[in-house]
C-alpha cells in the first residue's frame, strides 16, 4: 500500500472511513449529482494515490439506458462510452454487482482505456428506487490492488453517495 497523505491513517480500512466521512460531509445538502461524483473522485484519488491510478464514475446515459457514459473522474483519458455487459464496468452495470479484478488483461471482454491499468474494482451506484445511476470505477497500475476491504468500504460509500 502506498504512503497515505498525512491527513489520513496508514491503515486502509481506517483511511476509507476517514475519506468517506470527509466526502459525505462535503456533499451534505448538495443536490448536484455531478458535484457529488466529482468530490468523491477527487478525495478518493488523493487518499489512495498512487495505488488509485484512475478513479471516476461512468453514469447511465438517460438517452441510452443500456450504455454508460464517462462522468467526473481523476486520471488519464477515460473511455467515453461503455455498453452494459462489456468489460469490467459493463459487467458491474449489467449485474449490479461489484467486480473485483486482480488482472484486467485476463477479464473476458476487458476494455483497455489505458494499457497501464492492471487491476480494477467497479462498484454500482444505485438511485433511491434501486435503479442503476452509475458505477464507480477504480483502476490500479499494480496487479491485485483491491481486496474485500476495498469492496466493503466502497460499496458502503456508494450506498450513501446519492442520499441528499
Amino acid at each position: 500500500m502506498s504512503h497515505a497523505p498525512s491527513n489520513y491513517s496508514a491503515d486502509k480500512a481506517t483511511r476509507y472511513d476517514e475519506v468517506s466521512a470527509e466526502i459525505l460531509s462535503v456533499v451534505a445538502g448538495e443536490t448536484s449529482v455531478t458535484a457529488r461524483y466529482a468530490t468523491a473522485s477527487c478525495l478518493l484519488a488523493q487518499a489512495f494515490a498512487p495505488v488509485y491510478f484512475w478513479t471516476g464514475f461512468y453514469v447511465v446515459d438517460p438517452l441510452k439506458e443500456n450504455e454508460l457514459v464517462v462522468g467526473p473522474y481523476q486520471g488519464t483519458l477515460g473511455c467515453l462510452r461503455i455498453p452494459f455487459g462489456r468489460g469490467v464496468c459493463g459487467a458491474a452495470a449489467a449485474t449490479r454487482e461489484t467486480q473485483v479484478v486482480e488482472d484486467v488483461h485476463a477479464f473476458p471482454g476487458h476494455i483497455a482505456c489505458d494499457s497501464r491499468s492492471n487491476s480494477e474494482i467497479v462498484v454500482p451506484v444505485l438511485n433511491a428506487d434501486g435503479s442503476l445511476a452509475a458505477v464507480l470505477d477504480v483502476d490500479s497500475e499494480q496487479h491485485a490492488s483491491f481486496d474485500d476491504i476495498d469492496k466493503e468500504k466502497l460499496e458502503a460509500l456508494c450506498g450513501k453517495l446519492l442520499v441528499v
Side-chain angles (χ1 to χ4, degrees):
M1 182 54 58
S2 68
H3 174 68
S6 60
N7 56 329
Y8 296 113
S9 298
D11 175 72
K12 182 165 67 168
T14 304
R15 190 175 339 155
Y16 268 116
D17 291 341
E18 292 167 350
V19 73
S20 293
E22 184 178 5
I23 290 166
L24 295 174
S25 174
V26 171
V27 302
E30 177 54 61
T31 57
S32 168
V33 173
T34 301
R36 288 173 165 273
Y37 291 158
T39 299
S41 298
C42 176
L43 293 177
L44 284 168
Q46 288 180 352
F48 292 97
V51 174
Y52 277 27
F53 170 70
W54 195 97
T55 309
F57 292 86
Y58 283 94
V59 299
V60 176
D61 186 331
L63 302 177
K64 296 180 180 181
E65 64 185 33
N66 290 314
E67 195 166 285
L68 299 168
V69 61
V70 71
Y73 69 91
Q74 301 279 311
T76 58
L77 184 64
C79 296
L80 295 184
R81 293 186 170 272
I82 300 173
F84 281 28
R86 183 150 180 251
V88 183
C89 289
T95 63
R96 294 195 187 150
E97 293 177 0
T98 298
Q99 306 291 309
V100 179
V101 182
E102 292 186 358
D103 180 357
V104 296
H105 307 291
F107 190 89
H110 170 66
I111 303 167
C113 298
D114 189 314
S115 61
R116 293 173 289 177
S117 179
N118 284 304
S119 63
E120 186 171 7
I121 185 169
V122 181
V123 182
V125 180
L126 303 179
N127 289 306
D129 67 3
S131 63
L132 184 70
V135 296
L136 168 61
D137 179 20
V138 181
D139 293 12
S140 175
E141 289 182 294
Q142 295 126 27
H143 287 88
S145 290
F146 307 106
D147 58 22
D148 288 341
I149 293 171
D150 300 284
K151 181 179 185 291
E152 174 192 337
K153 298 299 186 176
L154 289 174
E155 285 177 344
L157 174 62
C158 287
K160 298 174 185 170
L161 195 55
L162 295 184
V163 177
V164 178

